[in-house]
Amino acid sequence: MFAQLAPSPSPSPANLSHFVYRRSFQKPTLAVSASLPTATSSRPPIQIVGGKDLNLDATRKGDSIGFTLEPNEEEIDWMNLESDIRLWTRALRPVQWYPGHIMKTEKELREQLKLMDVVIEVRDARIPLSTTHPKMDAWLGNRKRILVLNREDMISNDDRNDWARYFAKQGIKVIFTNGKLGMGAMKLGRLAKSLAGDVNGKRRAKGLLPRSVRAGIIGYPNVGKSSLINRLLKRKICAAAPRPGVTREMKWVKLGKDLDLLDSPGMLPMRIDDQAAAIKLAICDDIGEKAYDFTDVAAILVQMLARIPEVGSKALYNRYKIQLEGGCGKKFVKTLGLNLFGGDSHQAAFRILTDFRKGKFGYISLERPPL
């Protein structure tokens, strides 16, 4: 089993279901044994990122107590991982980002939503649960909705299929896209037109002239909204860059004669209460860099990757030639800084985060569908 953290507070019921899902992997097991620090041990407890000194939880084998760190564990309990992320983030500076342009446009966006025939919500396919606004359902009401999971190239086919089944059970139309290469963009345009196809039928019945279908594209910062619009239009109309906060004003653009698209700034809640979700936003570059400490976020990412079977501690060692001692991500980042960057932990953290964001660890999803 993985080295488990000390028992952590149970997540709230609203978040509990996010990580009940399990998947099995058949990989060679690489076990690394270590002695367990106890209350009377002279060894200091291992410090996990988050600022707390935490004793590793014991796993019982018969009458003996001990633990074994297995980077290639065949099964991962995502609910326990989520609980541990919450524990790790508890003592860190909260990740919060609410720049002025979001505050300014949120009210305007809610007004524009009333004019839309269909709403296209874009999320990050690596963290679909963390990249939806908590007020989204209230804003949309019964309005027709298409869910886009962008960056499909960064998750596995298994994850893609799992999420497709999960949203299909909820009756939500979901499309997987790659905004950079344009995959899925044309399908999205056709679906938006078909869902709102009855608009002009109702107008004709009232004696009104037909008009273009209005579709609003909304979502968190840097999930790829503007890139999708540019792919639909086959030209660069909306400013797009791989960082949050590029789009600062709403802009209507026309796609042919029968579809109008609204590009909007990324919308975040004024306060992010779920700090496990906030950390994942930082890891995936879906929130402004000023909102978080690079070293803390990279350390938590290392601890997460060590627990995910597709990566594990062995893959971290193969890439950086550093052992993950005691599951401590903060020590890992510091050691990488000493080895490669003259002691600069910030640069080491930036390297780890960049490697993840560029897919250097493979197709990695940081969330799984609830059961």
Side-chain angles (χ1 to χ4, degrees), residues 167-318:
F167 287 114
K169 289 178 181 178
Q170 300 181 50
I172 298 175
K173 299 284 186 181
V174 60
I175 292 180
F176 290 83
T177 62
N178 179 341
K180 288 184 179 180
L181 300 180
M183 290 183 290
M186 299 311 297
K187 182 178 180 181
L188 173 61
R190 292 193 298 269
L191 181 58
K193 292 177 185 178
S194 66
L195 283 182
D198 61 341
V199 171
N200 286 319
K202 293 178 180 179
R203 290 178 63 84
R204 283 191 291 269
K206 295 178 181 179
L208 300 173
L209 293 174
R211 63 164 175 79
S212 299
V213 170
R214 300 178 189 137
I217 298 185
I218 61 178
Y220 270 29
N222 202 34
V223 293
K225 301 181 297 298
S226 298
S227 294
L228 279 175
I229 291 178
N230 290 336
R231 285 293 178 179
L232 284 166
L233 298 174
K234 298 182 180 179
R235 61 187 187 278
K236 189 172 182 178
I237 296 294
C238 301
R243 65 180 186 275
V246 173
T247 303
R248 292 179 173 268
E249 295 180 351
M250 287 185 287
K251 181 179 182 179
W252 283 99
V253 295
K254 200 165 191 66
L255 178 60
K257 297 180 180 180
D258 49 5
L259 182 60
D260 293 338
L261 297 171
L262 176 66
D263 185 25
S264 63
M267 303 304 295
L268 285 168
M270 183 177 293
R271 177 180 174 82
I272 304 175
D273 294 323
D274 185 350
Q275 283 299 295
I279 282 291
K280 285 177 277 188
L281 293 177
I283 289 172
C284 295
D285 201 20
D286 293 332
I287 196 169
E289 292 181 352
K290 293 181 179 179
Y292 57 89
D293 180 274
F294 272 73
T295 304
D296 288 340
V297 173
I300 288 180
L301 173 60
V302 167
Q303 291 169 194
M304 292 178 68
L305 293 178
R307 296 270 290 275
I308 296 175
E310 299 98 318
V311 185
S313 299
K314 186 176 181 180
L316 290 168
Y317 176 79
N318 288 341

Side-chain angles (χ1 to χ4, degrees), residues 35 59 80 152 158 160 176:
S35 59
T59 59
N80 285 343
E152 69 161 349
D158 284 340
R160 186 181 187 275
F176 290 83

Side-chain angles (χ1 to χ4, degrees), residues 317-337:
Y317 176 79
N318 288 341
R319 183 158 190 84
Y320 302 112
K321 306 306 178 188
I322 299 171
Q323 294 286 359
L324 181 60
E325 297 181 10
C328 182
K330 199 163 190 176
K331 186 175 181 180
F332 186 94
V333 174
K334 184 177 180 179
T335 303
L336 181 62

